[in-house]
Amino acid sequence: MSPTKTKWLRSWSVESDDDINHIENISSSPTSLMVSPFRFFDDEIYNTKPYLPSTVSSFQTIIDEAIIDETSTETFYPLIVSPLQTLDDKAYNITSPSTLEVGPLQTVDDENHNPKTPSPTLDVPPLPTIDGETHKTEPPLPTPEITLLQTVDNNINNTPPPPLMVSSLLAIVPYEANKDSIASDDGPRHYNDETQDLQTLIYTGHGGQATDQKLGRGNLALEASKLKGNEVRVIRGEGDPRNKNKKIYIYDGLYIVSDSWTAKGKSGFEEFKFKLLRKPGQPAGYANWKSSKIWSKGTDNSRKGLILKDLSYGAENLPIPLVNEIDENDKEMPQDFSYVKSSACSSMMIVQNYQSTACINCQVQLCEDSKCICVQRNGGELPYLNRILVCRKPMVYECGDACPCPPDCHNRVTQTGLKIRVEVFKTEKCGWGLRSLEPIRAGTFICELVGMAKRIHGVDEDDEYMFDSSRYNQFKWNYEPELVGENCWDQVSEAYKLRWRMLVSSKEYGNVSRFMNHSCSPNVMWQPIEFEDSRQPCVRIAFFAMKHIPPLTELRFDYGMSCKTEEVGEDGKTIFKGKKICHCGSFKCQGSFG
Ligand SMILES: C[S@@+](CC[C@H](N)C(=O)[O-])C[C@H]1O[C@@H](n2cnc3c(N)ncnc32)[C@H](O)[C@@H]1O
């Protein structure tokens, strides 16, 4: 276990150079939090280990420095392959050049690309991934406002540089509220680039905020890509619906530059326009995002396969649509159950002579201070940062009903009900499932497990809706790489076992969590939470995103394995088998679960 307790919190995207400096500063402190962009790329699908620089603007800046010599006569030097180049050559059928040189940006992924590359200057956490299966069927997303991100070339032998090729574009789509905003020269710019459809992008060239744009830098690179028919990777950016100053980025696959021209922009100066066409046969990207935005509003009554607008019948703050897109005519509902929003805690565990642990003397209203008793119970540090879980632990102690702090206390994250828009949908192979209708960042609380607490003797062996904490024998409490970065929290013991075996069935009573299917490569994890309720310790299971999850992605957690069935494999090792055959579709699939 690491001696440090650095926690990296991947935030939604940051853009300004100030943000970069901020990252450098805070990452030097062992107890500080690391903020990095929120982007969706899929290691499993793309079969690579892509790493990105910590912000788009830093990325852009470094690339510009690396490839541009504006003092010369627009000669481009041999370039460096950037991290984006490491994304998914296989899935998108690009033939990678055989000789790739690792440049400054590549230093974030030395191991994969070149072990001799110097260490990165910024501490960049690994790129988040998204669930594999979902993306095979319903991949991620993107739209139309753009910034040229980088240009690359592959020549490393000091031979005369070939014509420049464009590798990647960053397409920034303004959030509705800031549609016409013009960003500074440093950051990604907002142009009114039009998208005719989701397969076509009209990209406004680089430069020229107060002058005509020149055929240099990225514009020249794009022009060269057009002439050579090179593929261009496009990353779309959208405004973060939860934070209007931030953006979320999604890789939208390969495009071809089909046309270019110049036209007078809104500023009155000449701008380059490039028409990019998305290559067919790629996983959907931006299209999903668009759809989920419309669906999450719940106003589209003509939506294909919509069976019910709200499965919770008003119990939740947000409606829970029920959809069957696989067979629109099939209006069959899920098995009968009563929708219950939250567990009745006090009935779950009665402890005689229980001593209250409420932070009654806490002077700090929002319970962040280590003097707060509830914070102390968490090892002296809040497990949350901006309501995002930053470390998985055997137990998280939240403030309870006897604590004087308000409902929005930073240490009451799981008691506020469903905040994420989700829907119940028919899956191909696993019955009903749950999926997000909005992007979810890693560490976000999704929902609690609601059901009937059971005693061991009262367990129905065939209950498919049973949560059993004892199925997780080799569970690592203290380490979720995608959540906390590389280092574990030294104050948490890996050996810790739950005090109680928790058996909860949501067969008859439950909330959305009862529809979460199993995956051997999950994007959701469970976390025990304790807080006081009616002078009793109340333990609940809460579900958190363990990865950044794009909209329309199925939410799945690992059901664990009871390890009752054992077999000896060909190599003589014992293989544990779960009760059920798994159809999660992950390449890490163990074949069974439960
Ligand atoms: C808690 S329920 C999940 C919701 C359920 N799919 C439904 O239609 O109500 C658990 C059941 O879903 C199915 N299931 C969940 N994950 C699965 C997987 N990875 N492979 C196959 N079946 C799965 C199994 O029938 C399992 O017993």
Side-chain angles (χ1 to χ4, degrees), residues 253-527:
L254 295 176
Y255 281 68
I256 293 287
V257 187
S258 73
D259 199 3
S260 63
W261 64 94
T262 56
K264 260 206 172 58
K266 268 193 164 182
S267 58
F269 295 102
E270 287 290 319
E271 290 173 347
F272 282 95
K273 298 279 183 185
F274 298 93
K275 183 176 181 183
L276 289 108
L277 301 178
R278 194 166 193 267
K279 292 194 81 178
Q282 301 182 79
Y286 190 66
N288 269 0
W289 193 325
K290 280 279 193 199
S291 306
S292 67
K293 266 181 155 180
I294 297 165
W295 296 340
S296 68
K297 286 181 189 148
T299 48
D300 183 7
N301 291 332
S302 60
R303 188 182 162 190
K304 186 185 156 201
L306 183 69
I307 299 173
L308 253 188
K309 274 188 149 184
D310 183 10
L311 184 65
S312 84
Y313 294 102
E316 296 283 8
N317 305 330
L318 301 167
I320 317 286
L322 178 76
V323 285
N324 184 348
E325 290 167 335
I326 290 176
D327 183 357
E328 291 175 61
N329 301 320
D330 183 359
K331 299 287 175 203
E332 198 184 322
M333 299 272 289
Q335 225 175 40
D336 247 7
F337 76 105
S338 302
Y339 198 101
V340 179
K341 189 180 167 184
S342 185
S343 299
C345 261
S346 41
S347 61
M348 281 174 75
M349 186 69 59
I350 306 291
V351 177
Q352 301 294 332
N353 305 323
Y354 175 73
Q355 296 285 317
S356 174
T357 51
C359 57
I360 40 174
N361 296 324
C362 198
Q363 300 300 313
V364 185
Q365 273 280 290
L366 296 175
C367 299
E368 286 170 315
D369 199 287
S370 57
K371 287 180 197 136
C372 167
I373 292 170
C374 296
V375 173
Q376 282 170 19
R377 294 186 81 203
N378 283 307
E381 271 189 273
L382 264 188
Y384 303 115
L385 178 75
N386 298 335
R387 309 184 81 75
I388 296 295
L389 184 73
V390 290
C391 183
R392 195 176 194 179
K393 306 171 78 180
M395 189 65 76
V396 161
Y397 298 93
E398 290 196 355
C399 292
D401 61 354
C403 298
C405 47
D408 63 341
C409 164
H410 294 173
N411 196 27
R412 293 176 191 265
V413 169
T414 64
Q415 302 165 43
T416 50
L418 196 65
K419 291 274 192 303
I420 301 288
R421 286 187 181 270
V422 290
E423 69 179 14
V424 174
F425 76 110
K426 198 61 176 259
T427 66
E428 295 259 0
K429 292 184 176 163
C430 303
W432 296 101
L434 186 71
R435 69 184 174 192
S436 62
L437 283 175
E438 59 179 285
I440 307 175
R441 82 178 302 288
T444 301
F445 166 64
I446 295 173
C447 61
E448 65 170 287
L449 172 75
V450 177
M452 296 262 284
K454 297 272 181 184
R455 290 177 192 277
I456 297 170
H457 305 298
V459 168
D460 168 7
E461 284 293 320
D462 296 329
D463 186 343
E464 301 201 326
Y465 296 86
M466 182 66 73
F467 173 89
D468 182 352
S469 63
S470 73
R471 286 191 202 137
Y472 301 85
N473 285 344
Q474 287 145 17
F475 193 72
K476 280 197 161 191
W477 287 109
N478 198 22
Y479 191 64
E480 279 304 334
E482 300 195 23
L483 187 68
V484 292
E486 287 170 4
N487 296 321
C488 317
W489 211 354
D490 60 348
Q491 294 182 10
V492 182
S493 159
E494 290 284 9
Y496 191 95
K497 287 219 167 198
L498 271 183
R499 267 179 290 171
W500 308 290
R501 178 177 178 187
M502 292 196 67
L503 285 159
V504 181
S505 169
S506 51
K507 191 172 177 183
E508 290 157 46
Y509 302 93
N511 66 347
V512 286
S513 69
R514 78 189 289 283
F515 295 104
M516 253 192 279
N517 286 318
H518 159 87
S519 174
C520 303
S521 186
N523 54 11
V524 172
M525 61 183 196
W526 59 275
Q527 165 69 59

Side-chain angles (χ1 to χ4, degrees), residues 122-175:
L122 287 181
D123 244 340
V124 182
L127 194 70
T129 61
I130 44 181
D131 174 75
E133 197 223 21
T134 308
H135 280 274
K136 281 169 202 155
T137 51
E138 297 152 301
L141 359 176
T143 316
E145 228 212 62
I146 320 180
T147 296
L148 180 63
L149 189 60
Q150 60 173 334
T151 49
V152 296
D153 192 349
N154 311 313
N155 189 328
I156 58 166
N157 298 324
N158 282 342
T159 49
L164 194 70
M165 290 183 285
V166 169
S167 164
S168 298
L169 288 177
L170 175 65
I172 308 278
V173 188
Y175 189 60

Side-chain angles (χ1 to χ4, degrees), residues 223-264:
E223 194 60 29
S225 290
K226 184 187 86 178
L227 296 174
K228 293 193 80 177
N230 291 333
E231 291 153 331
V232 176
R233 288 191 169 96
V234 170
I235 298 165
R236 308 263 200 162
E238 276 243 349
D240 177 352
R242 289 174 187 265
N243 188 339
K244 287 188 179 152
N245 299 319
K246 304 285 181 188
K247 291 197 176 60
I248 302 168
Y249 297 99
I250 292 188
Y251 177 51
D252 194 29
L254 295 176
Y255 281 68
I256 293 287
V257 187
S258 73
D259 199 3
S260 63
W261 64 94
T262 56
K264 260 206 172 58

